[in-house]
Amino acid sequence: MIHKTLKPFPKHFLWGASTSAYQVEGASLEDGKGPSCQDVKKVPEGTSDLKVCADQYHRYKEDIALMAEMGFKTYRFSVSWSRILPEGTGAVNPKGIEYYNNLIDECLKYGIEPLVTMFHFDMPAALDKRGSWSNRESVDWFLNFAKVLFESFGDRVKYWLTINEQNMLTLVGPVIGTLMIPEGCTNILKETYQQNHHMLVAQAKAMALCHELLPNAKIGPAPNISVVYSASCKPEDTLAAQNFNAIRNWLYLDMAVYGVYNNLVWSYLEEHDAVPVFAPGDEEALKNGRPDFIGFNYYTTSTAQASDGTEKEGKKADQQKADGIPGVYKGFRNPNLLTTEFGWEIDPLGFRATMREIYSRYHLPMIVTENGLGAYDKLTEDKKVHDPYRIEYLRKHIEQIRLAITDGCEMMGYCPWSAIDLISTHEGIVKRYGFIYVDREEFDLKTMNRYRKDSFYWYKKVIASNGEDLA
């Protein structure tokens, strides 16, 4: 659809950016914080551990001031579960409460709305030892954690996100370092989707609790959503794309919004003896979740072709690349798209297609909670970072948000990944996403000083013009 006149971004559009606790804070075992699964996992060879990261724990005032200089309307960050509850349950760590109180207050001092993610890939290690999401008690653990957050910070936090990229936790958990498979498990698919079910119930109950305790707050999910194209106009490929769309995307949003399992996914699970067990009350709890908005992460689209069922299960998947599922779909490299230095396809038009599809299905306001370009940024001798590739990537994606708004999609805000350089989940500090450069290398902490990239100044102009000036 070609529009002759574009609608403007909403007057109170929430321009900002995102981080996560375990990737940006550092201070991994400081001030009473317990270890999370990320702190105890074996990091990929050649990449940094998570002890220091960008050291935001000690430098949050400096970082928030830089975000304010850019003109942020919101800052999407996550709370470390084990910084608040070192054992995952039980005693609350007052130093953890103090840190997030300070962070929230620092944001509000500059008129920046905190957008708080409750869980971002960092289950407390103490709960990992008790089975993590495999344990049915995980629903109660998460609900207790949510209650502590709502009671501690709900007087100032208006916007909440439940679980970051739950679909990635389910589909590529080993890559992220989060999936716990009990020893002796013989049906890994069934176990995986049982854990997913516990997360879905926990999310629904947390949304209901938020509405009960904080009637003026808003809460929503934050999966990684990107539409799946058919590799051709062959009907078999179209069916394969529908299969992957259901498994990758619609399972999570159908459940968040409607409280029911997507029929294609349920059929797939039935076929593989992998349907989850419902505990008493689960069905009612799932239907009582009711998000106020949809947060979603977008990096690129996927493309699927028909599978004849004879392929072997692929092992090369990550958040944005999937080989396929035998008998369900087969991955396909889209020849129409460029890729990043790290092999992820770049598809701004697919961003618009994704927004249109989400809104068509659910008719809820949307906020983009991640979108960005990882690259090998370099600090020059005169302390500059020239990143025109990032500016071009973000410009093309922001253009598509405006087109989606003109299409009639209700967009609340845009929070690209990431506000500041941080440790990438499985590729270390060298894969930089931020508007702010952190002067450190993989194993050399150097000065840890902050430097404004060219994209910093560009995004500042974008925000000041409310998306009108993208030059």
Side-chain angles (χ1 to χ4, degrees):
M1 186 181 299
I2 298 175
H3 297 289
K4 294 180 180 178
T5 304
L6 297 182
K7 294 179 182 177
F9 283 87
K11 184 177 180 181
H12 299 293
F13 192 75
L14 294 171
W15 297 98
S18 297
T19 63
S20 84
Y22 82 90
Q23 293 172 276
V24 77
E25 286 179 0
S28 62
L29 296 176
E30 199 169 314
D31 286 342
K33 179 184 176 293
S36 77
C37 64
Q38 298 292 346
D39 298 315
V40 300
K41 76 177 184 182
K42 183 179 179 181
V43 299
E45 186 176 353
T47 62
S48 170
D49 60 33
L50 300 163
K51 294 176 182 175
V52 177
C53 298
D55 198 29
Q56 188 168 93
Y57 186 80
H58 298 110
R59 297 170 180 250
Y60 70 90
K61 289 188 177 182
E62 178 184 2
D63 290 346
I64 299 301
L66 286 165
M67 295 177 203
E69 183 182 333
M70 268 192 282
F72 277 22
K73 310 301 180 186
T74 189
Y75 173 35
R76 183 244 181 169
F77 60 90
S78 74
V79 173
S80 166
W81 189 337
S82 60
R83 196 179 294 283
I84 297 293
L85 295 161
E87 297 296 318
T89 61
V92 174
N93 175 24
K95 284 287 188 179
I97 298 293
E98 179 185 359
Y99 170 70
Y100 290 110
N101 272 328
N102 291 340
L103 181 63
I104 289 165
D105 289 345
E106 197 69 16
C107 287
L108 294 174
K109 183 174 84 173
Y110 293 103
I112 298 172
E113 285 282 0
L115 175 58
V116 176
T117 305
M118 299 164 66
F119 180 75
H120 193 127
F121 300 169
D122 56 354
M123 176 67 79
L127 297 184
D128 257 2
K129 293 178 181 178
R130 296 169 64 181
S132 189
W133 292 107
S134 180
N135 189 331
R136 171 67 201 189
E137 293 181 16
S138 59
V139 175
D140 298 323
W141 300 338
F142 186 74
L143 198 61
N144 173 65
F145 174 49
K147 187 171 186 289
V148 173
L149 297 187
F150 296 152
E151 291 178 345
S152 300
F153 313 123
D155 59 326
R156 286 154 293 151
V157 176
K158 298 178 184 176
Y159 298 101
W160 298 86
L161 297 162
T162 53
I163 298 175
N164 179 73
E165 292 193 351
Q166 183 181 332
N167 52 340
M168 297 300 108
L169 290 169
T170 300
L171 296 171
V172 291
V175 174
I176 300 170
T178 53
L179 186 64
M180 295 284 293
I181 300 297
E183 190 174 345
C185 175
T186 57
N187 188 336
I188 292 176
L189 187 68
K190 184 178 180 66
E191 170 61 29
T192 299
Y193 277 88
Q194 187 66 53
Q195 293 187 30
N196 181 66
H197 179 77
H198 294 158
M199 281 187 264
L200 292 170
V201 176
Q203 170 176 263
K205 288 191 172 187
M207 290 193 293
L209 183 65
C210 180
H211 293 139
E212 177 187 337
L213 297 181
L214 307 174
N216 295 319
K218 297 184 183 300
I219 190 167
N224 182 314
I225 303 296
S226 57
V227 294
V228 180
Y229 300 136
S230 171
S232 76
C233 57
K234 291 194 297 186
E236 296 89 345
D237 289 347
T238 298
L239 290 172
Q242 288 180 338
N243 292 340
F244 191 30
N245 266 310
I247 289 171
R248 190 198 191 285
N249 299 316
W250 312 137
L251 163 62
Y252 302 91
L253 290 180
D254 284 0
M255 186 57 82
V257 178
Y258 303 127
V260 295
Y261 273 90
N262 178 279
N263 61 290
L264 294 179
V265 178
W266 192 260
S267 176
Y268 162 65
L269 297 178
E270 284 182 325
E271 180 75 19
H272 294 84
D273 187 28
V275 294
V277 175
F278 277 57
D282 281 2
E283 186 173 357
E284 181 183 6
L286 289 167
K287 290 184 177 177
N288 288 336
R290 297 174 186 167
D292 301 291
F293 63 89
I294 291 172
F296 74 101
N297 302 347
Y298 174 89
Y299 290 92
T300 187
T301 47
S302 297
T303 306
Q305 59 183 326
S307 163
D308 62 10
T310 63
E311 310 95 349
K312 292 184 178 180
E313 192 84 38
K315 299 296 182 185
K316 299 178 182 178
D318 67 11
Q319 294 100 310
Q320 305 304 326
K321 294 183 288 186
D323 285 346
I325 301 172
V328 179
Y329 80 96
K330 186 177 178 181
F332 183 83
R333 165 76 176 89
N334 191 331
N336 302 297
L337 302 177
L338 300 174
T339 61
T340 71
E341 293 176 299
F342 292 86
W344 288 8
E345 295 173 352
I346 301 172
D347 188 5
L349 272 69
F351 188 29
R352 180 184 179 189
T354 298
M355 288 181 279
R356 287 160 60 134
E357 187 66 20
I358 294 173
Y359 196 71
S360 177
R361 292 178 67 97
Y362 306 107
H363 292 281
L364 285 172
M366 295 176 285
I367 183 166
V368 181
T369 42
E370 288 184 27
N371 170 239
L373 177 75
Y376 295 105
D377 296 339
K378 297 299 180 185
L379 186 67
T380 63
E381 288 187 9
D382 59 350
K383 307 303 181 185
K384 307 288 185 184
V385 179
H386 304 301
D387 56 344
Y389 38 84
R390 178 167 295 108
I391 292 172
E392 181 68 5
Y393 177 98
L394 294 173
R395 176 190 293 118
K396 287 184 176 179
H397 283 77
I398 292 172
E399 287 172 348
Q400 296 302 315
I401 299 176
R402 189 167 182 185
L403 285 165
I405 290 170
T406 307
D407 290 332
C409 298
E410 190 177 353
M411 300 301 300
M412 292 169 51
Y414 179 62
C415 295
W417 186 266
S418 55
I420 184 170
D421 287 346
L422 38 68
I423 303 295
S424 187
T425 299
H426 50 279
E427 286 155 321
I429 190 68
V430 297
K431 189 179 186 182
R432 296 176 183 266
Y433 281 92
F435 294 107
I436 301 162
Y437 185 92
V438 178
D439 184 27
R440 64 157 291 180
E441 299 298 338
E442 213 66 66
F443 302 106
D444 182 357
L445 296 180
K446 302 178 79 171
T447 68
M448 297 294 292
N449 288 343
R450 276 58 168 149
Y451 295 98
R452 301 162 181 82
K453 301 181 187 180
D454 288 355
S455 58
F456 176 104
Y457 298 104
W458 174 82
Y459 195 46
K460 177 180 180 178
K461 181 177 61 174
V462 171
I463 296 173
S465 67
N466 197 30
E468 291 291 333
D469 186 356
L470 301 181

